[in-house]
Amino acid sequence: MGEERRAAVARIRRLRVSVALAVIVAVIAGLGGYRIGLSRERHSATAVVLTGTVTWSNAETRLIAFETDGVVRKPNEGDMIYSVLTDNWQDVAGTFRSDGTYPTCLAGKSDDPVSMDHHRAELTVIDWDTGGAQPMHVAVRVRCLD
């Protein structure tokens, strides 16, 4: 019986060591993942509503030049270009459109994709940091004002 008991005790010790090693590995992996998660930047975007004038628009590229009310550009500063990434928009009557059409206050006349008609609009925008010198300006909602 003494031999049987020693074998059982040895199995229990091996099991305890295996469990302890598994717990240590799990803790190290968890702490490592936590540290990696902390080292990465968190990305979030806060949307801002801007009112102003669309001075140029291209329906094919879905890019617009937009002048925000009350913001004066410096003489050598370029146009503020926005990428329009929404298929939902609101027309001047307040009707929401989600039919895939380009907003009327951004569209050109008939078959011309480019408009320089200076329409008033309200944009909900976010800035997307692409890692370049300047962020990409994205219009996620368009509301036509005229």
Side-chain angles (χ1 to χ4, degrees), residues 15-66:
L15 181 61
R16 284 183 182 168
V17 169
S18 296
V19 169
L21 285 174
V23 168
I24 290 170
V25 168
V27 168
I28 290 171
L31 288 174
Y34 177 73
R35 294 292 296 160
I36 289 170
L38 286 179
S39 69
R40 297 186 141 209
E41 283 187 38
R42 303 269 185 234
H43 293 284
S44 63
T46 302
V48 177
V49 177
L50 303 175
T51 302
T53 304
V54 178
T55 59
W56 174 88
S57 174
N58 186 326
E60 290 176 350
T61 63
R62 297 186 72 91
L63 295 174
I64 62 172
F66 186 76

Side-chain angles (χ1 to χ4, degrees), residues 54 56-64 102-117:
V54 178
W56 174 88
S57 174
N58 186 326
E60 290 176 350
T61 63
R62 297 186 72 91
L63 295 174
I64 62 172
Y102 198 59
T104 53
C105 56
L106 306 181
K109 299 214 182 341
S110 50
D111 292 336
D112 188 1
V114 176
S115 171
M116 296 178 67
D117 293 337

Side-chain angles (χ1 to χ4, degrees), residues 36 46 61 89 101-102 109 122 124 133 136 141:
I36 289 170
T46 302
T61 63
W89 57 279
T101 59
Y102 198 59
K109 299 214 182 341
E122 178 183 272
T124 302
M136 179 179 177
R141 186 185 66 84

